[in-house]
Amino acid sequence: MTSAAIYGCLGHRLTEAEKAFFAEVRPWGFILFRRNIDTPEQVRALTDELRASIGDPEAPILIDQEGGRVQRMGPPHWPKYPPGNAYLKATNELAQARELTRLGARLMAHDLREVGVTVDLLPVLDVPAPGAHDIIGDRAYGLDPETVAVLGRAAAEGLLAGGVLPCIKHMPGHGRAFADSHKDLPTVHADFETMDSWDFAPFKAMSDMPLAMTAHIVFTALDKKRPATQSKKAVRMMREHLGFSGLIMTDDLSMQALSGDLGERAHQSLKAGCDVVLHCNGDMAEMKDVAEATGKLKGGARRRADAALARIVRTPEPLDSVAGHDRFFKAMGGRMDVAKGPDVGEAQA
């Protein structure tokens, strides 16, 4: 049976140890990072190899392909896409920004689908608060919930049309955090009513999406002790108040916001109600610890996982990618130049 986990790998191809481990634990899916990316042919071979390791040709393969600071596939083989806040800046009109956001996501889906990636950890639905940590910053589509929800839905629609699943993040909202959860555990003290009208609003507006990623943040109005990823109260709020019925995955378990060993982090996340845990760095010892604490994907979690994958369209919406790229980058105030564009580092998502 499939286990309730998503894992990364270390390089451009799987090692024999990775193949044996994945075959034994049979994760639900995999995630790629910059360290796994070279050429389109190499990425396609790796995604084929990952699926073959567990004998599942439909296994989801995820990536953080937002544009801006967080883009795993970039020049020279793929275009450099803009960050979330660039769309409204380029048009200064929400309807036009919506069209551009959808087109940009549709083009990214085309890039991803060609190399076997079927889930993009996009859109970012966080609404930055004044003075908050810049870990979200220009990744956000706007500075108010309405703009974020409108452009977030446009991005999700573009991905879905291209045969790639979107994943809303970081539920129930990372925009008010004054620390980077990759390094520390942020605590948000805002009252429920304030967050409900601001932070939570885009997630409620997009509760029909297939996948969501949690925030490693303590929201004292929900749970004074545990971060949302590991809080039964927070996950229940996501289900009942936000109305999210899709699959909930954790953000990366290896982030320093979480405490305890990797097995304990996985156990507490699943116990809280997350459906699937995510471990990204490819460290074999850590993955084994996660695997020991992670059970099979079954019951409601299995149904939600199957329902998410059922939303991948087999025949993507028609797209002239050359003309689409030309129109997109002209509208964004520049042109696509995959040969000379700047590379992107392993920015955290």
Side-chain angles (χ1 to χ4, degrees):
M1 289 180 65
T2 301
S3 63
I6 300 166
Y7 296 115
C9 60
L10 285 178
H12 292 166
R13 299 299 296 268
L14 293 185
T15 66
E16 292 304 314
E18 287 171 334
K19 290 179 183 178
F21 172 74
F22 294 145
E24 178 183 359
V25 303
R26 292 185 54 80
W28 180 65
F30 303 94
I31 186 167
L32 301 184
F33 280 82
R34 190 72 187 90
R35 65 179 183 268
N36 307 123
I37 308 298
D38 186 13
T39 66
E41 295 77 18
Q42 171 269 320
V43 180
R44 182 78 225 197
L46 177 59
T47 58
D48 288 344
E49 198 171 37
L50 286 164
R51 292 186 171 107
S53 72
I54 60 173
D56 183 358
E58 305 297 325
I61 296 181
L62 294 70
I63 199 168
D64 288 292
Q65 189 78 348
E66 299 174 14
R69 290 180 283 152
V70 182
Q71 179 172 334
R72 311 309 186 196
M73 289 165 45
H77 300 290
W78 300 275
K80 178 75 170 72
Y81 289 98
N85 77 341
Y87 296 98
L88 192 57
K89 286 183 177 180
T91 62
N92 205 33
E93 202 278 314
L94 189 57
Q96 293 180 21
R98 186 190 184 286
E99 292 180 10
L100 269 183
T101 304
R102 187 188 190 282
L103 176 58
R106 177 66 186 87
L107 293 166
M108 283 191 277
H110 172 78
D111 299 341
L112 299 178
R113 180 94 175 202
E114 283 196 325
V115 295
V117 176
T118 51
V119 179
D120 191 358
L121 299 177
L122 183 76
V124 175
L125 296 186
D126 307 308
V127 187
H133 193 283
D134 193 46
I135 188 62
I136 299 301
D138 64 358
R139 298 164 65 190
Y141 289 108
L143 298 176
D144 64 90
E146 179 185 5
T147 299
V148 170
V150 169
L151 299 187
R153 181 165 294 279
E157 289 174 354
L159 291 174
L160 286 166
V164 171
L165 292 181
C167 176
I168 58 176
K169 64 183 187 186
H170 306 79
M171 195 161 69
H174 206 299
R176 202 175 292 274
F178 284 81
D180 178 359
S181 55
H182 296 92
K183 301 176 181 178
D184 300 288
L185 175 61
T187 299
V188 170
H189 297 285
D191 60 74
F192 186 90
E193 290 73 19
T194 297
M195 290 188 294
D196 192 37
S197 64
W198 193 262
D199 309 72
F200 301 166
F203 293 93
K204 284 196 287 187
M206 293 190 64
S207 61
D208 58 321
M209 290 293 108
L211 305 166
M213 173 185 283
T214 61
H216 294 336
I217 296 174
V218 171
F219 299 91
T220 57
L222 301 177
D223 189 325
K224 291 181 172 60
K225 296 181 179 180
R226 293 186 177 276
T229 301
Q230 299 178 330
S231 167
K232 289 183 179 180
K233 296 176 182 177
V235 174
R236 184 182 308 119
M237 189 278 295
M238 297 175 199
R239 294 293 189 198
E240 296 178 359
H241 186 73
L242 302 186
F244 185 75
S245 60
L247 181 136
I248 296 177
M249 71 177 71
T250 70
D251 205 341
D252 184 10
L253 292 179
S254 62
M255 290 162 60
Q256 296 308 303
L258 301 183
S259 59
D261 61 34
L262 271 295
E264 178 68 10
R265 296 179 189 190
H267 173 73
Q268 291 298 332
S269 301
L270 294 169
K271 182 179 178 182
C274 291
D275 297 313
V276 174
V277 295
L278 173 67
H279 183 270
C280 294
N281 66 25
D283 182 282
M284 182 59 71
E286 290 189 6
M287 290 194 295
K288 287 182 177 179
D289 288 343
V290 172
E292 289 181 5
T294 303
K296 301 303 180 183
L297 188 62
K298 59 185 179 179
R302 174 85 255 185
R303 290 190 293 273
R304 287 185 285 271
D306 290 344
L309 295 184
R311 292 185 64 177
I312 298 177
V313 299
R314 302 301 174 182
T315 304
E317 171 189 275
L319 174 73
D320 182 333
S321 61
V322 174
H325 278 115
D326 186 59
R327 178 161 61 93
F328 176 75
F329 285 95
K330 282 182 178 178
M332 294 302 296
R335 67 186 183 89
M336 180 184 72
D337 191 343
V338 297
K340 298 180 181 179
D343 202 352
V344 182
E346 188 92 337
Q348 295 296 314

